[in-house]
Amino acid sequence: MSRVDGKVALVTGGGQGIGRAIALRLSQDGFAVAVVDLNENNANKVAGEIEAAGGRSIALKADVSNRDEVFAAVEETAAKLGGFDVIVNNAGIAPVKMIEEVTLDDLDKVFHINVASVVWGIQAATAKLKELGHGGKIVNASSQAGHVGNASLSVYSASKFAVRSLTQTAAQELAKYGITVNAYCPGIVQTPMWGSIDKQITSSKGEEQGEATKEFGSKITLGRLSTPEDVAAFVSFLAGPDSDYMTGQSPLIDGGMVFK
Ligand SMILES: NC(=O)C1=CN([C@@H]2O[C@H](COP(=O)(O)OP(=O)(O)OC[C@H]3O[C@@H](n4cnc5c(N)ncnc54)[C@H](O)[C@@H]3O)[C@@H](O)[C@H]2O)C=CC1
Ligand SMILES: CC(=O)C(C)=O
């Protein structure tokens, strides 16, 4: 029996990429996992993978930028999986935008999906944990781009700085309920999101696809891109009991990216 058996985790953006790896890893750790995604097909597939491997899982469709849908997802998770302990606010988008091209619509969209979603996730998880009368863990997706402004990713980078600040504030306000709040800050992770970023950057510069990966990749001390599983291993620590004496932190899990 693992130390998290019987506990329940909800992972947003769990249908692919980092979120999928987190959902699979938390299930291996012993959590029952709600896989939440806008893409219902993908969420169903991941929940199916978990069940096929002997875990417990449900798939839920929700738009994380919609407060009501996030609250409903937490409610349904607790009702169907029989509890609630951890939320991983992982879903996000990363449009490539030069600062001179940013519009109000860009700001609105990215901040709704990457930042408002984290506020709604924190609020919904906190309300449920208080109702259940026990503590829990909130884990948010930031990025190396939340530590260093990334050219070409202006609005995205700003949104990930915001996630770090929300993580610190929530940690201070929620400690009295036994809730810890931390974030993870990946580097370049091989997922559909990174593929799309490379494509957008290279096509905007008239370069060959893959050039952006080479440029960002050259900054990684460990000499390789991250896998989703590298990140999931760290989130497993943040979601589990070994991180009990840690809150308000946003560590880098980026292979040692060095920006000059
Ligand atoms: N891939 C990378 O290099 C890095 C990613 N991150 C962050 O990690 C998180 C996951 O990234 P990836 O797996 O690479 O992205 P991805 O684009 O491959 O997957 C994101 C998932 O989130 C879902 N999603 C998007 N908008 C949603 C919404 N409004 N409501 C519900 N679900 C929604 C998508 O359907 C998709 O399944 C994001 O927050 C991203 O910003 C951070 C650092 C590096
Ligand atoms: C997408 C992202 O967060 C990167 C490249 O750090």
Side-chain angles (χ1 to χ4, degrees), residues 49 61 63-64 91 93 101 129 142 144 182 196 199-200 215 227 232 245-246 248:
E49 283 183 79
K61 181 177 179 183
D63 177 350
V64 292
I93 57 166
E101 295 164 359
L129 293 169
S142 180
Q144 58 77 25
N182 292 292
S196 158
K199 204 166 166 185
Q200 291 175 69
E215 193 197 324
T227 64
Y245 193 62
M246 178 173 172

Side-chain angles (χ1 to χ4, degrees), residues 25-160:
R25 174 61 192 256
L26 293 186
S27 170
Q28 284 159 18
D29 290 350
F31 284 99
V33 181
V35 182
V36 176
D37 207 291
L38 203 50
N39 185 324
E40 198 172 13
N41 271 345
N42 282 352
N44 277 322
K45 273 190 214 156
V46 175
E49 283 183 79
I50 291 174
E51 296 261 331
R56 287 178 64 224
S57 185
I58 56 168
L60 299 172
K61 181 177 179 183
D63 177 350
V64 292
S65 67
N66 181 314
R67 187 176 187 272
D68 290 346
E69 291 187 25
V70 175
F71 271 71
V74 168
E75 204 55 57
E76 201 171 337
T77 298
K80 292 196 169 151
L81 293 177
F84 190 82
D85 301 279
V86 173
I87 190 165
V88 184
N89 294 309
N90 166 78
I93 57 166
V96 168
K97 276 281 166 172
M98 303 299 164
I99 194 74
E100 290 177 286
E101 295 164 359
V102 172
T103 65
L104 191 55
D105 278 351
D106 296 325
L107 284 163
D108 203 40
K109 187 166 182 197
V110 173
F111 272 76
H112 264 93
I113 297 176
N114 291 5
V115 183
S117 65
V118 172
V119 177
W120 308 153
I122 290 170
Q123 290 179 350
T126 301
K128 181 51 70 183
L129 293 169
K130 283 166 73 175
E131 179 193 315
L132 294 173
H134 58 66
K137 288 180 186 263
I138 296 173
V139 184
N140 301 322
S142 180
S143 166
Q144 58 77 25
H147 283 259
V148 182
N150 278 204
S152 311
L153 288 169
S154 52
V155 185
Y156 174 79
S157 215
S159 75
K160 294 299 181 179

Side-chain angles (χ1 to χ4, degrees), residues 186-191 194-195 198 210-231 253-257:
I188 312 301
V189 193
Q190 291 166 297
T191 68
W194 175 256
D198 180 287
E211 280 305 312
T213 303
K214 273 191 212 153
E215 193 197 324
F216 274 77
S218 70
K219 303 176 197 298
I220 302 173
T221 303
L222 291 181
R224 68 166 175 87
L225 306 188
S226 171
T227 64
E229 290 72 25
D230 291 323
V231 181
I253 163 83
D254 66 350
M257 285 183 76

